[in-house]
Amino acid sequence: MALDFISLEAIEELAQQYGYWAVFLGIFLENIGLPLPGETVTLAGGFLAGSDQLNYWIVLGDAILGATLGGNVGYWVGRYGGWPFLLGIGRIFRVQEPQLLSLKNQFAENAAKAVFLGRFVALLRIFASPLAGIAQMPYLKFLFYNTAGAAAWATVMVTLSYFAGQVVPLEKLVEWASRFALLTLVIAIAWIVLPIWLESRKVKAEAAAHPSVEDLPSEP
């Protein structure tokens, strides 16, 4: 999930021109919380390494370092300024503070999974670290899962593009990665929304079966 006006050709050209810096800055800025094509830049870096234009290990190190540092910055941005910003967004869309607080608490319960696995999920890769800061996830716990998630994600992306890129065009690799990220996003949304919907139906059913005193018809 990146900015649509940045073409794949432009990203590949940036990776060729700026090499390791493009990989590092691309994923660093995305993990801060900016909607930039960090994943695509990383895939382009691994692809160029597969064609001997870049070094595999340096690209991998750049991706891990950029994702780790970017995640840390995103965490502190979310921790110190994210909640007031989220409340402001909520007022614009008429979402009440109790609802936002409920979502915040729900995220906090699953923060470790979101930070580690979120790197493989479209959009969540961008917002997981700021959301962890907003949810007041303990920093040392965040640091562990953020670093582990960054290493796992970077290893998969760079290695995939390094080897598969020798037989598959970069365009196809990016398409596969985007489809996988969107699929995981749908699964993540279903995982969050379905229990809330089922709980809402349960509450309504219980309310209908056991009406409160206020709901009972008054005597004439």
Side-chain angles (χ1 to χ4, degrees):
M1 299 293 290
L3 298 177
D4 293 336
F5 58 79
I6 302 179
S7 67
L8 179 59
E9 292 76 14
I11 292 171
E12 189 172 4
E13 184 178 343
L14 285 172
Q16 290 176 328
Q17 185 173 355
Y18 297 103
Y20 307 114
W21 278 110
V23 175
F24 172 80
L25 288 175
I27 195 59
F28 172 81
L29 293 174
E30 183 184 54
N31 277 261
I32 287 177
L34 300 177
L36 295 174
E39 181 178 74
T40 304
V41 176
T42 302
L43 288 170
F47 182 84
L48 293 175
S51 59
D52 295 326
Q53 297 182 58
L54 296 175
N55 180 278
Y56 167 84
W57 294 105
I58 300 179
V59 171
L60 178 59
D62 269 354
I64 294 175
L65 186 62
T68 301
L69 293 179
N72 274 273
V73 174
Y75 171 87
W76 290 112
V77 168
R79 183 147 188 167
Y80 285 109
W83 183 242
F85 177 77
L86 197 59
L87 289 176
I89 296 295
R91 283 192 291 269
I92 293 174
F93 292 98
R94 297 184 179 180
V95 180
Q96 301 299 318
E97 183 172 348
Q99 295 174 291
L100 290 174
L101 189 59
S102 176
L103 291 174
K104 174 184 174 182
N105 293 334
Q106 186 176 0
F107 182 88
E109 293 175 1
N110 300 281
K113 294 177 183 178
V115 170
F116 182 83
L117 298 175
R119 297 187 180 278
F120 296 91
V121 181
L123 293 180
L124 189 55
R125 180 172 57 254
I126 300 173
F127 299 116
S129 295
L131 286 173
I134 292 174
Q136 301 289 308
M137 181 180 183
Y139 177 66
L140 290 180
K141 184 177 182 180
F142 168 81
L143 185 64
F144 173 79
Y145 284 101
N146 178 61
T147 304
W153 174 84
T155 300
V156 170
M157 292 297 117
V158 175
T159 303
L160 171 68
S161 57
Y162 178 83
F163 287 107
Q166 298 180 30
V167 293
V168 177
L170 178 60
E171 293 82 357
K172 185 62 66 175
L173 287 175
V174 172
E175 180 184 345
W176 289 348
S178 298
R179 288 183 178 180
F180 177 78
L182 286 172
L183 175 62
T184 54
L185 176 62
V186 171
I187 294 173
I189 292 174
W191 181 54
I192 294 171
V193 172
L194 187 59
I196 296 175
W197 179 72
L198 291 175
E199 182 64 23
S200 175
R201 289 196 62 183
K202 180 181 177 182
V203 170
K204 289 180 180 179
E206 290 178 351
H210 306 285
S212 62
V213 176
E214 292 79 2
D215 295 330
L216 293 176
S218 60
E219 294 182 3

